């Protein structure tokens, strides 16, 4: 009989005099310049004084918030006093009212389990952004040339046929304003755009952000950025300048289905879904030592012109004519006499608020691995990794030389670029040289691509490897997860998952970074969201996107198939497994980050969605008014019906809603959804479950979904799991699942006594499998199991992304089951460590950063012995289950300061924080 032992290494005190709280955050950000709330939430982590420290617990905390100008010497805005609590996160400000432009500093001290106080943390800061329309005196400005456009060559669709009409591409617009400044103590620039922009002051770019202010439901909400430009302002003459492009607002978005109809009709030509004329809004606030202010705003006194960016579009690419450069255009003294006055744009009443997420920016650079001349004058570079981003071109030639840059994820068998899967996304950048004898470099600004291969044509001379550099661009989400095992295929697969997540966490969780979609598909998002949290801190990223999702929910209650939602295609209104992101994603953010605020913020819309769902299916048979996506891209002959999927998700959503209602103290709705879950589950069982545990739809997805959603009674659960295992075996130990069925497949098997089969699927190398992708050279996760076919090459160009994270949801199983690290309570206040070796895998190591700190497990099986190194975060307790029989031995642990060995009977342990080493006789599954 297994015994549970509370194992606590006692130390005199976890806190020494030099131990203080660390990693202070406000609204998930370190020292944010402009938060979008007057009731911010604070968080910190506990740092042990030594690596040997164990059982670090917080028993109380005290927070102080003061005005930045006053410091803590004066009466603070808020002093919480000593609060008896273990909480280190989601602690809401409760002091004097905050208003737009407030700047504050804050600090915290904590008490350990023995009641010993730490020192105060180092203070950190936060600022409140512009929260209301009255805070903006700047006007929206545009250019009289906002309808100017160029038409380029006819584009081709994915099968090579010309598409009616031509691309309608617009140049970037340049805006500038000169002003006088007295001596200042601070300068703050607030900026936003209907479109995308960059901002410069006195010839210097204020940030490396790309495609700001991002994409949102422009008709409801527009985001802004705030920059500290104090060091860029001079006493005397100054200049402020902005470059503006169409971006998502008026550029090509989603399906670029060009029809040849009127170019300026919104949505007809695949663009102008939100508006025709992009606009920019900038407000520069100068503060003097005497407390006075001077504000520089966008208005008709600004001058505007075209410039070297002659074409630019997120999907189509960018053209730059270096001969048209305007040296010094963003500095004072530039002759703008030939420039026109800006014009005001009216009719925009959407709320403008600080961007709550992380910026898109260049993250790293990649040098090509190889370059070869495919045809005379056609050079193809291989980065060795599929990425999202652009390239930096390095070239020397004569004025007028034109270099064309094309991109692709894969090559055809004959070595040429495979671009058919881009569909209507041209994805071509062009650079025209100015003839600088010292050489020229250029990086596209307002576009991005998904690619591994780069083709140059028109390059003067023979390019070396340094002619191009890959610039990886995506949302600057903090990545922290690691995974490694004895199976090299799994190691490469994990890297593929991370690279795919990086490429698609681009302002929103997109489906792909390369073709004419790049949208926030809700099905993909809910399938992968839990896996994503193992790899990165996605809290603020999802805070932003969940607002997009709720802003663009359908008026009748359903969540859309993608968000933001620029278009309303009649066959893409709502879909089972897609619209459920509106419930599943907030639930996941709460479970991982302890964030109940996201539940409260969106509760009304979630409740409306559930009410609509119940009303549309009063008999609980599963609705059919659906887009019909189903188990997208499944490969089995027996398909999972839409009513089955709809009813299963209905029950699952009700379960999650009940849990969330309880978490925010809404007992009435908690009871409501508990009863609904029982009712829908009973209806599901009546419709589909047979006495022998067999389902009316007999395929892998149906069983995986029903088991994962807990829709099968306990007395029939093993029988149903047996049917699932049998289906896998009958298929040669290969899966048949699509997007919706793959995520629950391995977890369902492992949870029901078939962990061995889950391991076989994980290590499978034949089609369809993850190993098949890796063996065929994948560096990211494919959209299709057969995106590439051995001997045949690229498959199905009409819909074939090579960077699509949905099937990467198995990362959740790799980290949580194989490596064995997961939460045991919301917010990781209690953690689980339960490694589960399987297959031929003899070792695995995984780590992730929780809101409390690092959680890690590294294990190996050798000569019948199991050993593991564990790391439990501070301020948590771990429920540990090890695959050993007999006694568990705690090995020599210098980190714990303990020579010798401690023997523990039983393989279940409860541990406090710290580092541990254990070993024992391996208990095979």
């Amino acid at each position: 009989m297994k015994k549970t032992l509370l194992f606590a290494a006692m130390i005199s005190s976890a806190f020494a005099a030099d131990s203080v709280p660390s990693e202070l955050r406000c609204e998930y950000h370190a020292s944010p310049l402009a938060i979008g709330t007057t009731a911010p939430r604070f968080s910190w982590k506990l740092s042990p004084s030594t690596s040997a420290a164990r059982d670090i617990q917080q028993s109380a905390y005290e927070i102080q918030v003061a005005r930045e100008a006053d410091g803590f010497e004066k009466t603070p805005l808020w002093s919480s006093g000593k609060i008896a609590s273990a909480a280190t996160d989601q602690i809401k400000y409760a002091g004097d009212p905050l208003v737009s432009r407030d700047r504050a500093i804050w600090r915290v001290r904590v008490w350990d389990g023995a009641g010993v106080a730490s020192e105060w943390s180092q203070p950190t800061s936060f600022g409140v952004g512009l929260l209301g329309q009255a805070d903006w005196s700047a006007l929206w400005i545009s250019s009289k040339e906002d309808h100017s456009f160029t038409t380029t060559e006819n584009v081709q669709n994915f099968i090579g046929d010309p598409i009616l009409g031509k691309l309608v591409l617009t140049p970037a617009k340049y805006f500038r304003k000169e002003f006088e400044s007295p001596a200042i103590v601070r300068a703050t620039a607030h900026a936003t755009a209907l479109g995308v922009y960059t901002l410069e002051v006195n010839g210097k770019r204020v940030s490396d952000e790309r495609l700001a202010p991002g994409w949102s439901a422009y008709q409801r909400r527009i985001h802004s950025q705030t920059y500290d430009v104090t060091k860029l302002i001079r006493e005397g003459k100054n200049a402020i300048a902005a470059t503006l492009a169409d971006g998502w607002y008026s550029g090509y978005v989603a399906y670029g289905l060009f029809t040849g109809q009127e170019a300026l009709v919104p949505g007809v030509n695949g663009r102008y879904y939100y508006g025709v004329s992009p606009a920019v809004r900038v407000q520069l606030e100068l503060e003097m030592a005497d407390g006075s202010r001077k504000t520089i705003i966008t208005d008709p006194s600004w001058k505007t012109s075209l410039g070297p960016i002659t074409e630019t579009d997120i999907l189509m690419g960018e053209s730059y004519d270096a001969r048209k450069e305007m040296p010094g255009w963003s500095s004072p003294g530039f002759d703008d006499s030939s420039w026109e006055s800006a014009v005001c744009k009216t009719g925009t009443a959407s709320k403008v608020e600080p961007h709550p997420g992380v910026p898109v920016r260049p993250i790293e650079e990649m040098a090509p691995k190889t370059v070869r001349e495919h045809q005379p004058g056609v050079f193809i570079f291989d980065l060795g990794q599929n990425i999202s981003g652009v390239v930096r071109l390095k070239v020397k030639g004569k004025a007028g030389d034109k270099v064309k840059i094309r991109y692709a994820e894969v090559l055809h068998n004959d070595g040429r670029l495979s671009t058919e899967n881009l569909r209507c996304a041209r994805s071509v950048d062009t650079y025209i040289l100015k003839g600088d004898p010292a050489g020229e470099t250029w990086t596209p600004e307002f576009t991005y691509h998904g690619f591994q291969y780069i083709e140059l044509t028109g390059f003067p001379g023979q390019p070396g490897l340094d002619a191009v550099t890959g610039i990886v661009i995506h949302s600057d989400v903090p990545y922290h997860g690691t995974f490694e095992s004895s199976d090299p295929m799994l190691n490469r697969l994990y890297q593929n998952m991370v690279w795919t997540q990086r490429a698609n966490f681009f302002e929103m969780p997109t489906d792909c970074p390369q073709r004419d979609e790049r949208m926030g598909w809700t099905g993909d998002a809910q399938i992968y969201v839990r896996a994503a949290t193992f790899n990165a801190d996605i809290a603020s990223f999802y805070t932003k996107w969940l607002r997009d999702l709720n802003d663009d929910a359908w008026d009748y209650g359903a969540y859309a198939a993608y968000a933001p939602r620029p278009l309303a295609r009649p066959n893409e209104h709502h879909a089972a497994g897609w619209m459920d992101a509106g419930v599943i994603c907030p639930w996941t953010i709460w479970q991982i980050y302890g964030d109940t605020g996201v539940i409260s913020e969106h509760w009304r819309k979630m409740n409306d969605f559930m009410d609509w769902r119940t009303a549309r299916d009063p008999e609980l048979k599963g609705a059919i008014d659906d887009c019909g996506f189903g188990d997208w891209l499944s490969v089995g002959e027996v398909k999972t019906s839409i009513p089955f999927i709809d009813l299963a998700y209905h029950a699952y959503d009700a379960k999650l809603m009940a849990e969330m209602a309880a978490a925010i103290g809404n007992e009435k709705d908690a009871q409501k959804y508990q009863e609904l879950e029982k009712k829908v589950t009973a209806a599901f069982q009546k419709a589909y479950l047979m006495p022998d545990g067999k389902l009316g739809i007999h395929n892998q997805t149906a069983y995986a979904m029903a088991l994962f959603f807990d829709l099968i009674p306990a007395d029939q659960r093993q029988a149903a799991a047996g049917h699932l295992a049998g289906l896998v075996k009958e298929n040669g130990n290969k899966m048949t699942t699509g997007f919706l069925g793959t995520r629950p497949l391995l977890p369902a098997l492992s949870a029901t006594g078939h962990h061995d089969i889950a391991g076989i699927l994980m290590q499978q190398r034949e089609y369809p499998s993850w190993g098949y992708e890796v063996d065929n050279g994948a560096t990211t996760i494919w959209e299709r199991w057969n995106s590439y076919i051995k001997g045949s090459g690229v498959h199905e160009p009409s819909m074939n992304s090579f960077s699509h994270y949905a099937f990467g949801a198995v990362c959740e199983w790799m980290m949580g089951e194989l490596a064995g690290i997961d939460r045991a309570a919301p917010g990781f206040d209690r953690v689980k460590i339960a490694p589960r070796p399987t297959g031929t895998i003899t070792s695995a190591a995984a780590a992730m950063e929780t809101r409390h700190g690092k959680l890690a497990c590294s294990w190996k099986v050798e000569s019948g012995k199991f050993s593991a190194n564990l790391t439990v975060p501070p301020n948590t307790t771990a429920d540990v289950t090890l695959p050993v029989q007999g006694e568990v031995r705690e090995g020599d642990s210098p980190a714990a300061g303990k020579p010798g060995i401690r023997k523990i009977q039983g393989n279940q342990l409860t541990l406090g924080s710290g580092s541990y080493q254990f070993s024992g006789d391996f208990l095979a599954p």
Side-chain angles (χ1 to χ4, degrees), residues 352-369:
V352 179
E353 63 184 33
H355 195 295
V358 292
V360 172
R361 59 166 41 109
I363 303 297
E364 67 176 279
E365 299 185 357
M366 303 188 73
K369 304 294 184 183

Side-chain angles (χ1 to χ4, degrees), residues 176 370 493 632:
R176 69 184 308 274
T370 62
L493 177 65
W632 191 249

Side-chain angles (χ1 to χ4, degrees), residues 172-176 242-243 303-309 326 329 339:
K173 283 77 175 177
Y174 296 78
F175 299 84
R176 69 184 308 274
T243 308
K303 305 295 286 293
T304 182
S305 175
L306 301 181
I309 301 180
M326 304 169 290
W329 77 277
W339 289 35

